[in-house]
Amino acid sequence: MRRFLRDNALSLAFGLLFLLSLAGQAFAGLADYNDRRLSHAAESIGLLDYLTSADFAVDVAENWQSEYLQFFLYVFATVWLLQRGSPESKPRGRAGLETDKEQQIGRHSTADSPKWARAGGWRTGIFSMSLGLVMLGLFLLSWLAQSVAGMSAYNAEQLTEFGDPESWSGYLASADFWNRTLQNWQSEFLAIGSMAVFSVYLRQRGSPESKPVGAPHHVTDESG
């Protein structure tokens, strides 16, 4: 058990932080939701009802989709785009898909290489893009969930104000949907762009996301 905890400490720590923050969001969201209901002379609801509501679902999904979009774009963008001096970037001259030898696939694979990396053909082709494709799939699924839950929450609010409900396609073109979407996207793009630039000039000793403390600013793709 001790070895398992040591070998998986990073994923376990962030998994626990995720659950704690999700629980905190649920209780804070419930309090805010009930305050809004009381202001409209409606009865408050319990935690279970809130957790199964469209309001909670859309708040969760809109954050998930922006995170997975960030990872999808970063995984694919760093194949071709470079940032000199950043450990988040490949060095100049390695832009692109790289050779089979550099990627250790096909006849250049080793006995410890993943099976599909050694297989060749369509299996190696799919496996070589599997990380980005999974990130893309999770982004699209969570964005779809946001649109459906957002439509439901939006229509519920419309009905309380005696407005007309929107269809799903109508909601996709609404200001509410794009306001929820773009306010998350812009923060993700700012954060990831800032990290790429700050890591050129700043250091965090012992972190693989940083260059060694004494590495020159211009050195690229060197983790420490």
Side-chain angles (χ1 to χ4, degrees):
M1 177 59 72
R2 184 177 300 176
R3 180 177 180 181
F4 174 81
L5 293 175
R6 184 191 64 225
D7 291 348
N8 298 277
L10 186 61
S11 58
L12 291 172
F14 276 93
L16 179 60
L17 288 172
F18 164 72
L19 293 176
L20 291 174
S21 60
L22 186 63
Q25 178 188 347
F27 285 104
L30 174 63
D32 178 64
Y33 183 70
N34 280 334
D35 285 344
R36 286 186 279 118
R37 285 180 64 85
L38 292 174
S39 68
H40 290 87
E43 293 183 358
S44 60
I45 64 172
L47 180 62
L48 182 60
D49 288 331
Y50 177 67
L51 292 178
T52 56
S53 70
D55 280 77
F56 180 70
V58 69
D59 287 344
V60 172
E62 72 182 36
N63 285 286
W64 289 9
Q65 60 87 6
S66 64
E67 296 294 340
Y68 284 120
L69 174 65
Q70 175 196 132
F71 287 125
F72 161 67
L73 291 178
Y74 203 59
V75 165
F76 276 99
T78 51
V79 174
W80 303 98
L81 305 181
L82 308 177
Q83 180 65 52
R84 186 185 182 196
S86 175
E88 303 293 316
S89 169
K90 296 190 293 185
R92 185 170 53 185
R94 285 183 56 192
L97 299 178
E98 303 181 7
T99 65
D100 288 356
K101 183 178 181 180
E102 290 172 319
Q103 289 294 308
Q104 301 177 36
I105 59 177
R107 64 187 180 88
H108 301 287
S109 61
T110 67
D112 293 331
S113 296
K115 183 178 179 180
W116 278 35
R118 293 184 276 114
W122 64 270
R123 286 178 293 180
T124 297
I126 291 177
F127 186 67
S128 66
M129 297 187 297
S130 56
L131 179 60
L133 291 176
V134 167
M135 294 297 107
L136 174 61
L138 291 171
F139 159 64
L140 294 175
L141 287 174
S142 53
W143 202 21
L144 175 63
Q146 177 198 333
S147 69
V148 174
M151 178 194 67
S152 180
Y154 179 80
N155 284 339
E157 186 174 347
Q158 285 288 95
L159 291 174
T160 62
E161 299 176 355
F162 304 103
D164 294 327
E166 283 279 9
S167 64
W168 181 67
S169 59
Y171 180 69
L172 289 182
S174 71
D176 183 81
F177 175 72
W178 284 104
N179 179 53
R180 286 179 175 274
T181 295
L182 293 173
Q183 68 179 322
N184 284 280
W185 286 8
Q186 55 87 13
S187 63
E188 300 299 339
F189 297 153
L190 175 64
I192 202 165
S194 299
M195 180 63 179
V197 174
F198 290 160
S199 61
V200 175
Y201 303 103
L202 306 177
R203 308 287 188 269
Q204 181 58 54
R205 183 171 181 170
S207 174
E209 298 303 311
S210 168
K211 295 184 291 187
V213 177
H217 292 323
H218 67 269
V219 171
T220 309
D221 190 37
E222 183 178 342
S223 299

